[in-house]
Amino acid sequence: MFSIGDLARDTGCKAETIRYYEQIGLMPEPARSAGNQRRYTQRHRDRLHFIRHARSLGFTIDDIRELLSLSDDEHRDCSAVDALARRHRDAVTARIESLMTLRRELDRMIGECGGGEVGQCRIIEVLRDHRLCESGHPLA
Amino acid sequence: MFSIGDLARDTGCKAETIRYYEQIGLMPEPARSAGNQRRYTQRHRDRLHFIRHARSLGFTIDDIRELLSLSDDEHRDCSAVDALARRHRDAVTARIESLMTLRRELDRMIGECGGGEVGQCRIIEVLRDHRLCESGHPLA
DNA sequence: TCTTGAAGCTATAGCCGCTACAGGTATTCA
DNA sequence: TGAATACCTGTAGCGGCTATAGCTTCAAGA
């Protein structure tokens, strides 16, 4: 049996986080010691590893809830898993693209600033007037 | 004089957001009509445009607070502005890189899943065991 | 066996940057 | 004048944790 601290050390997350996962129903309630402390099994440990791994890949808690429930039934067709992963990858791709647009614009602003006084600073000037932007980054 | 709705339409943000900016001290308190409604000047409008533009480039509220305060003094040296912008660009770059690492790993997982049953699904398998990851994405 | 310090417990509030109510008042246009 | 729309304040919620306060329990050493 593992204490909450064992699991925390093992997965690199904090005890508070594990309690939080329990509270939102992502981790099942474990057994308790005589003194009311949580006592986990290997199954709990595996589940927490799964959760942390999926989180580290950027899946949302709701995604993970679904992945866990899908993975429960070994004989189910895995197309739903596949679809969820693809959806997430596409969202990551979109996010990368929008960040690259931002970076292009930031680079341009920084490159055009030749030092000197704030009154002539290109960065401030561009921030004051979106029409000076070239990359068409969205204002919203 | 502009109403809060005028400013909202003009900048593409919601009236609630403008009131929020006032509440946190990012926008100054405007004058009020006889009936206690906010009445803005062109200066307010410019400031809000600046804020929204900087937000759309990913600057945090605190960054923007500093940019605004730096931009107040036209004769100040703009190196602080430059440094802030570079710092932000570097953070964006780091974020892009970490998202690209994620995407590589997601792509690999998705590519290896050949359909079939959940029991053989590579996506689930990888999520269960981080050692199956190649890209070395951070677990934390 | 006793002590002490670390680890655990619950409950609650805070982080960011908004957004969404609820329940009331002001303004505007026909 | 009346109806529709906009605006007001105050509060709570989103996601995914993190931090605190004030307590109890556990485990290792003397």
Side-chain angles (χ1 to χ4, degrees):
Chain A
M1 296 292 255
F2 311 103
S3 71
I4 198 168
D6 294 336
L7 254 68
R9 263 182 303 281
D10 208 56
T11 57
C13 74
K14 312 205 164 185
E16 286 88 342
T17 306
I18 301 173
R19 284 192 285 259
Y20 167 71
Y21 288 159
E22 181 182 325
Q23 196 190 307
I24 62 170
L26 195 58
M27 284 291 286
E29 290 184 25
R32 298 285 184 141
S33 74
N36 200 35
Q37 300 196 354
R38 288 170 179 81
R39 290 297 174 258
Y40 294 96
T41 64
Q42 183 61 44
R43 284 174 67 85
H44 288 102
R45 232 178 75 139
D46 292 344
R47 191 176 173 100
L48 186 55
H49 271 294
F50 185 105
I51 292 169
R52 293 308 290 174
H53 194 189
R55 281 295 297 135
S56 79
L57 286 165
F59 287 97
T60 65
I61 299 280
D62 273 354
D63 284 346
I64 296 172
R65 231 184 263 279
E66 200 170 338
L67 285 170
L68 281 165
S69 124
L70 289 170
S71 74
D72 272 353
D73 179 1
E74 301 280 312
H75 299 299
R76 170 194 265 278
D77 186 274
C78 80
S79 59
V81 173
D82 205 69
L84 206 160
R86 281 169 197 275
R87 194 158 13 98
H88 177 53
R89 182 195 50 187
D90 293 348
V92 169
T93 300
R95 183 89 185 110
I96 290 170
E97 270 157 24
S98 100
L99 286 175
M100 295 212 304
T101 303
L102 290 196
R103 186 175 52 179
R104 256 196 310 282
E105 196 53 47
L106 288 167
D107 270 337
R108 212 170 59 88
M109 287 163 66
I110 292 166
E112 286 180 2
C113 172
E117 294 188 355
V118 164
Q120 274 78 51
C121 179
R122 184 67 174 172
I123 295 170
I124 296 293
E125 199 182 348
V126 172
L127 287 173
R128 282 188 182 145
D129 188 354
H130 183 231
R131 287 167 305 175
L132 298 173
C133 279
E134 270 169 11
S135 56
H137 70 95
L139 260 184
Chain B
M1 297 292 255
F2 311 102
S3 72
I4 198 168
D6 293 337
L7 254 69
R9 262 183 302 281
D10 209 55
T11 57
C13 74
K14 310 207 168 185
E16 286 89 341
T17 305
I18 301 174
R19 284 192 286 258
Y20 168 72
Y21 288 159
E22 181 182 325
Q23 195 190 307
I24 62 172
L26 195 59
M27 284 291 286
E29 292 184 24
R32 297 284 182 143
S33 73
N36 199 36
Q37 300 197 355
R38 288 168 178 82
R39 290 296 175 260
Y40 294 96
T41 64
Q42 182 62 43
R43 283 175 67 85
H44 287 102
R45 231 178 75 140
D46 291 345
R47 190 176 173 101
L48 185 55
H49 270 296
F50 185 105
I51 293 168
R52 293 309 290 175
H53 193 190
R55 281 294 299 134
S56 78
L57 285 165
F59 288 97
T60 65
I61 299 280
D62 273 356
D63 284 346
I64 296 171
R65 233 185 263 279
E66 200 172 337
L67 286 171
L68 281 165
S69 122
L70 290 170
S71 74
D72 271 352
D73 179 1
E74 299 279 313
H75 298 300
R76 170 194 264 277
D77 187 274
C78 81
S79 59
V81 173
D82 205 68
L84 206 160
R86 279 170 199 276
R87 193 157 14 98
H88 177 53
R89 183 195 48 188
D90 293 349
V92 170
T93 300
R95 183 87 185 111
I96 289 171
E97 270 157 23
S98 101
L99 286 176
M100 296 211 305
T101 304
L102 290 198
R103 187 176 49 177
R104 256 195 310 283
E105 196 53 48
L106 288 167
D107 270 337
R108 210 170 60 86
M109 287 164 65
I110 292 167
E112 285 180 4
C113 172
E117 293 189 356
V118 164
Q120 274 78 51
C121 179
R122 184 66 174 171
I123 295 171
I124 296 292
E125 199 181 347
V126 172
L127 286 173
R128 282 187 183 147
D129 189 354
H130 183 230
R131 288 166 305 175
L132 298 175
C133 279
E134 270 168 9
S135 56
H137 69 97
L139 260 183

